[in-house]
Amino acid sequence: MIATTPDFSPARILVVGDVMLDRYWSGQAARISPEAPVPVVKVKGSEERIGGAGNVALNIAKLGGKVTLLGVVGDDPEGERVRRLLEAEGVVCDFVVAEGARSICKLRIMAQHQQLLRLDFEDTPIAFDGAQMSAKLKRHLPVHGVVVFSDYGKGTLADVTNHIAAAKQAGLKVLVDPKGVDYQRYQHADVITPNLSEFSAVVGACTSEGEILDKGRELLQRCKVQNLLLTRGEAGMTLIRETETHSLPAQAKDVFDVTGAGDTVIGVMALGVALGLPLHEAMCLANLAGGIVVGKLGTSTVSVEELSRALHGDRGSQYGIVSEDELMHIVARAKAHNEKIIMTNGCFDLLHAGHVTYLEQAKALGDRLIVAVNSDASVKQLKGESRPINGLKERMTVLAALACVDWVVAFEEETPERLYCRLLPDVLVKGGDYVSDQVAGGDCVIKAGGEVRILQFVEGQSTTSMINKARGTA
């Protein structure tokens, strides 16, 4: 069993498949249209993410692997946007640009963190120069160790059988996320990763565990594939091989959105294979990663920190020190469960009884408490060159140990205004003699329907007085 999170940086992975742009328009739905019996969504925000094979590549890059992505995009702004988003995350993109074709784009309309409608913009199967794709593939094979074929049935992998043959001839390991019912197309792949629904569409309904294993082995033999990784939702995962099987229970505590979970699973499996891990150990990592992303909204990725916390079984991604991006997903999930989010900020240089009392009072205002902590540089800017006494890591560690604190996040700016405006807690709490309209970020929170609360500090308790007392100058 894996004891530590591997260093994924030596992995060199080529991803080939259908590339998509996922757009999200989100807002509040508080009434029904007078024109038709449909909800009216007042759009307040929009976001773009990468879907399909691009999401597989992005998952690999986020975990530190080196990844090149081959796909097809149209000669349009969406295709260029896909490229820019991926290259910003370190993915090397080598696309076939199909003149006159439309890049695949999916627009999801969200309200109260729930999907109301999806609009697909695509002309599939997409028409492109297959010879150009084959040439690109053969050029990249010698400098990679693993290739992932991510098939969403949009036409990019129309010649996947020959692509797999070329990859195997070059000595690469081949993983396939399949589509459709003709798995003969994927013959000689090392691993295929269908979900249970896709598997059943190929082999027929299975009424028992034994039948799943028998039909799985029959499928491997018929398609000349070595390994079948079956993702089974609440039942976890099963790795089926000719002479052995390995099963793992599902890791997700709360399933929030399964969009893109299969991309994460095959991406992490590919990383494990590239590092030479036994397949059952790579499956363990993939299972943990899949359990993380289904707790996030929309197409998502996993960070090394999240995977490490899940692997070591501590308080995990539900509590403790988190990155800003992680916190965005966590807060969305908490709000979807009708949890009231409280947020405050400070330097918290020398934690004292006054701080603890203040934080306990803040937590009592809702369900979850986020504490945003000034970076060392911003503390110096606010308090002078002699501060902080304790570094950022130490200050965050002490705060995360408090029972009243759910999540701790750092910020670099002098004020947390940008962070508050991004996270939009239900209640922004500030201590001292402030009035609501003087609190940084308060305007954003109030406009979003939240409130600002001012709490009084405990008399006689301050970091400065503690420092002066220690120096004998109090």
Side-chain angles (χ1 to χ4, degrees):
M1 190 56 65
I2 301 173
T4 60
T5 306
D7 173 11
F8 295 115
S9 61
R12 300 291 185 272
I13 299 173
L14 179 63
V15 177
V16 188
D18 299 303
V19 179
M20 309 172 197
L21 179 64
D22 288 344
R23 284 182 167 138
Y24 295 83
W25 289 359
S26 58
Q28 297 292 315
R31 64 190 182 94
I32 300 298
S33 170
E35 303 165 359
V38 295
V40 175
V41 180
K42 187 175 182 181
V43 176
K44 292 187 176 182
S46 62
E47 187 177 3
E48 292 179 325
R49 301 184 190 179
I50 299 298
N55 189 39
V56 178
L58 194 58
N59 271 275
I60 293 168
K62 286 286 191 178
L63 287 169
K66 304 299 186 294
V67 58
T68 300
L69 174 64
L70 304 187
V72 182
V73 296
D75 185 16
D76 54 18
E78 286 75 17
E80 186 57 33
R81 182 62 176 156
V82 167
R83 182 189 299 274
R84 289 201 304 270
L85 288 172
L86 286 164
E87 289 180 344
E89 298 293 343
V91 177
V92 176
C93 297
D94 191 3
F95 293 153
V96 174
V97 179
E99 293 186 11
R102 171 186 285 184
S103 297
I104 301 169
C105 181
K106 299 180 184 298
L107 171 62
R108 294 171 174 88
I109 311 299
M110 314 292 293
Q112 285 85 13
H113 304 289
Q114 299 294 325
Q115 187 176 152
L116 296 184
L117 181 67
R118 193 181 92 179
L119 306 176
D120 290 1
F121 302 87
E122 61 180 76
D123 298 316
T124 53
I126 192 166
F128 66 98
D129 184 349
Q132 190 178 357
M133 175 62 76
S134 296
K136 288 180 181 291
L137 176 70
K138 290 177 181 177
R139 186 168 64 249
H140 286 287
L141 288 175
V143 293
H144 294 85
V146 173
V147 59
V148 175
F149 292 102
S150 177
D151 195 349
Y152 274 77
K154 306 299 182 182
T156 304
L157 294 177
D159 197 24
V160 68
T161 304
N162 288 328
H163 293 338
I164 292 173
K168 295 303 294 181
Q169 186 175 0
L172 276 71
K173 294 291 187 181
V174 173
L175 288 80
V176 178
D177 189 356
K179 193 72 173 179
V181 296
D182 180 15
Y183 281 17
Q184 296 284 356
R185 303 171 61 232
Y186 309 121
Q187 59 182 301
H188 304 302
D190 293 281
V191 185
I192 56 173
T193 64
N195 60 40
L196 185 58
S197 175
E198 292 166 338
F199 176 75
S200 299
V202 175
V203 303
C206 299
T207 58
S208 68
E209 190 73 15
E211 192 173 4
I212 289 176
L213 300 182
D214 289 342
K215 288 187 175 181
R217 290 194 177 100
E218 289 173 7
L219 181 64
L220 292 177
Q221 189 173 24
R222 185 169 71 248
C223 298
K224 301 177 183 177
V225 172
Q226 293 186 26
N227 304 279
L228 169 66
L229 178 65
L230 184 61
T231 55
R232 305 172 61 182
E234 294 178 356
M237 291 182 181
T238 299
L239 178 63
I240 303 174
R241 316 177 79 169
E242 184 178 349
T243 58
E244 60 180 329
T245 61
H246 298 273
S247 292
L248 290 172
Q251 292 295 310
K253 296 178 178 64
D254 295 304
V255 178
F256 189 45
D257 190 341
V258 298
T259 305
D263 301 332
T264 299
V265 167
I266 198 169
V268 176
M269 280 294 294
L271 284 166
V273 170
L275 296 182
L277 295 180
L279 280 184
H280 66 274
E281 291 190 4
M283 177 180 71
C284 177
L285 290 173
N287 193 41
L288 290 170
I292 294 168
V293 296
V294 297
K296 299 181 179 184
L297 177 64
T299 308
S300 302
T301 60
V302 174
S303 69
V304 172
E305 293 78 12
E306 288 175 303
L307 192 57
S308 180
R309 284 199 298 272
L311 181 63
H312 291 97
D314 59 11
R315 296 175 82 191
S317 59
Q318 300 297 310
Y319 300 96
I321 300 170
V322 294
S323 70
E324 187 175 323
D325 287 341
E326 286 179 74
L327 192 55
M328 282 292 294
H329 294 297
I330 292 169
V331 167
R333 184 171 65 232
K335 286 187 174 182
H337 292 164
N338 296 316
E339 292 180 322
K340 190 174 184 180
I341 306 299
I342 314 301
M343 189 168 177
T344 191
N345 68 278
C347 300
F348 298 100
D349 196 357
L350 295 178
L351 197 67
H352 51 69
H355 286 140
V356 175
T357 301
Y358 166 74
L359 293 172
E360 287 176 340
Q361 291 174 348
K363 177 61 177 285
L365 298 174
D367 300 300
R368 300 283 199 163
L369 174 61
I370 301 167
V371 180
V373 185
N374 293 75
S375 67
D376 292 344
S378 64
V379 173
K380 285 186 185 298
Q381 193 173 0
L382 291 167
K383 304 290 186 179
E385 286 299 318
S386 64
R387 301 281 295 276
I389 303 298
N390 292 310
L392 176 63
K393 182 178 180 181
E394 289 76 17
R395 290 182 283 128
M396 295 178 76
T397 298
V398 172
L399 285 164
L402 296 177
C404 60
V405 175
D406 292 287
W407 305 299
V408 184
V409 65
F411 65 95
E412 296 290 336
E413 303 92 340
E414 186 174 349
T415 78
E417 181 173 6
R418 178 196 58 79
L419 187 59
Y420 280 128
C421 291
R422 186 182 184 198
L423 292 172
L424 297 176
D426 298 298
V427 183
L428 190 166
V429 175
K430 194 69 180 173
D433 297 325
Y434 290 89
V435 294
S436 296
D437 58 4
Q438 294 176 334
V439 176
D443 287 348
C444 290
V445 172
I446 291 170
K447 286 179 182 177
E451 61 175 316
V452 176
R453 295 284 295 272
I454 309 299
L455 300 180
Q456 295 302 311
F457 285 135
V458 177
E459 289 292 333
Q461 296 284 343
S462 74
T463 300
T464 301
S465 66
M466 291 177 70
I467 294 172
N468 290 338
K469 186 176 181 180
R471 290 173 175 170
T473 57

